[in-house]
Amino acid sequence: MENSRFGAFLRSRRMDSFLSTSSEKRVVENPNVSIKDESERKPKMDAFVDDDGWVPVIISWIRIVTCFVSMMLTTFIWALIMLVLIPWPYERIRQGNIYGHVTGRMLMWILGNPIKIEGAEYSNKRAIYISNHASPIDIFLIMWLTPTGTVGIAKKEIIWYPLFGQLYVLANHLRIDRSNPMAAIESMKRAAQAVVKNNLSLIIFPEGTRSKNGRLLPFKKGFVHLALQSGLPIVPMVLTGTHLAWRKGSLHVRPAPLSVKYLPPISTENWTLCKIDDYVNMLHKMYAENLPKSQRPL
């Protein structure tokens, strides 16, 4: 893919030197401290102070407003770029990815949540990337961390989302009509054909909607159909903690630690249509095994 190294740089954690989402104090080792004491004093990454006081709420509002204004600015800039590139659809896809790398990383820096990324060596493969979905923060992470040359698949109503929806369409990403099963299947076929023809990757939320409480929902079959038709491997992205950081129906972003874990690519070369349910169940079980207990399905 063109300029893949540039895209990888924009997504790289090496940028943390000036876009760090967490401030870490330097730890000086004390030889007189026993191993037991050290383990007891080591902070837990899965714990945070859930403070609903007025000061954290005001800070959260400031962060959200800053995110919105910053996103308006970058969206306006890239919208102009997209309009110039109307005759070149692939270039619009690439620019849409660069927009996501810049904007997604910037928004995560503004929100300030500490982020741990595992399995980054699997993040530059040409593949179908799938991710669980429990928070608006998932969108920012996906924008930032998917490789250049990746298209998303979303419901057709996304065009009505202010700013983001219009840029999504300009970036030549894909939409499906979920209210019409036959139309959705045809959209999936066209998506697979476009991915193969243009040597692209895909990103999709297999649950089909956002979880209200962070627990994993049942998977739809669409991503398996896409894998069968495109022949691409599947790379699962397991997101944890985002439902605690930004809860559904709330405008209070909490400082919960977040984790993004790429699992090894799953080959789909020998998959067959008659085993679709088995593949869906296999991936769902894989997610359940890699999620914390609080996010596993009941």
Side-chain angles (χ1 to χ4, degrees):
M1 297 179 187
E2 295 183 17
N3 294 328
S4 59
R5 292 183 180 179
F6 177 63
F9 168 74
L10 289 175
R11 298 184 296 120
S12 173
R13 298 185 71 195
R14 295 177 184 176
M15 295 182 71
D16 288 0
S17 59
F18 62 93
L19 285 176
S20 177
T21 56
S22 62
S23 57
E24 298 181 359
K25 294 181 180 180
R26 184 180 177 185
V27 178
V28 180
E29 294 184 1
N30 186 343
N32 297 322
V33 177
S34 66
I35 295 177
K36 181 179 179 181
D37 292 339
E38 184 178 347
S39 63
E40 289 177 351
R41 294 174 59 183
K42 186 177 179 180
K44 294 182 179 180
M45 284 301 295
D46 59 350
F48 72 101
V49 178
D50 190 358
D51 190 350
D52 285 326
W54 64 271
V55 173
V57 171
I58 290 176
I59 293 174
S60 174
W61 274 79
I62 292 172
R63 290 181 187 272
I64 291 174
V65 171
T66 305
C67 281
F68 181 74
V69 173
S70 302
M71 190 172 180
M72 283 183 62
L73 177 61
T74 56
T75 300
F76 177 74
I77 293 171
W78 260 273
L80 295 177
I81 295 173
M82 299 292 187
L83 290 173
V84 173
L85 295 174
I86 285 290
W88 299 280
Y90 177 77
E91 283 302 314
R92 282 187 280 132
I93 292 172
R94 192 177 67 84
Q95 283 299 323
N97 295 146
I98 295 173
Y99 160 82
H101 299 161
V102 173
T103 305
R105 187 66 183 92
M106 177 181 65
L107 296 180
M108 292 310 305
W109 173 68
I110 293 170
L111 292 178
N113 296 79
I115 304 172
K116 180 182 179 181
I117 300 177
E118 300 179 72
E121 64 270 23
Y122 307 125
S123 66
N124 289 313
K125 310 288 184 182
R126 182 169 172 258
I128 296 175
Y129 292 86
I130 62 174
S131 171
N132 54 309
H133 186 24
S135 167
I137 291 178
D138 303 335
I139 305 295
F140 304 159
L141 290 170
I142 291 299
M143 289 167 60
W144 167 29
L145 294 172
T146 49
T148 302
T150 301
V151 291
I153 298 182
K155 57 185 179 181
K156 67 174 186 177
E157 291 82 6
I158 195 172
I159 192 174
W160 303 115
Y161 290 14
L163 299 175
F164 181 79
Q166 291 77 49
L167 192 67
Y168 181 93
V169 175
L170 279 173
N172 209 35
H173 288 280
L174 308 170
R175 294 178 295 151
I176 60 173
D177 183 0
R178 296 195 304 187
S179 64
N180 186 332
M182 293 303 297
I185 292 173
E186 286 302 316
S187 297
M188 288 289 186
K189 289 181 179 178
R190 289 195 297 271
Q193 292 169 358
V195 165
V196 172
K197 179 180 178 181
N198 296 289
N199 203 34
L200 301 171
S201 293
L202 274 167
I203 176 67
I204 188 171
F205 294 122
E207 296 162 288
T209 188
R210 185 172 130 196
S211 172
K212 295 180 180 180
N213 56 11
R215 292 193 180 275
L216 189 68
L217 299 175
F219 284 179
K220 308 292 186 182
K221 300 178 182 179
F223 75 100
V224 176
H225 283 287
L226 288 167
L228 287 169
Q229 294 166 21
S230 67
L232 290 175
I234 294 175
V235 175
M237 297 174 65
V238 183
L239 310 185
T240 59
T242 60
H243 68 296
L244 297 175
W246 195 338
R247 297 171 184 171
K248 189 172 180 66
S250 172
L251 290 178
H252 181 189
V253 179
R254 294 164 171 82
L258 312 177
S259 171
V260 180
K261 183 178 182 181
Y262 294 89
L263 301 183
I266 300 166
S267 175
T268 64
E269 289 182 2
N270 298 319
W271 282 16
T272 58
L273 192 61
C274 61
K275 293 185 178 180
I276 284 183
D277 289 338
D278 293 339
Y279 306 139
V280 172
N281 293 333
M282 177 188 69
L283 267 298
H284 192 267
K285 182 180 179 181
M286 187 179 298
Y287 263 87
E289 291 172 348
N290 283 276
L291 284 169
K293 189 175 181 180
S294 62
Q295 288 189 251
R296 293 172 187 169
L298 293 173

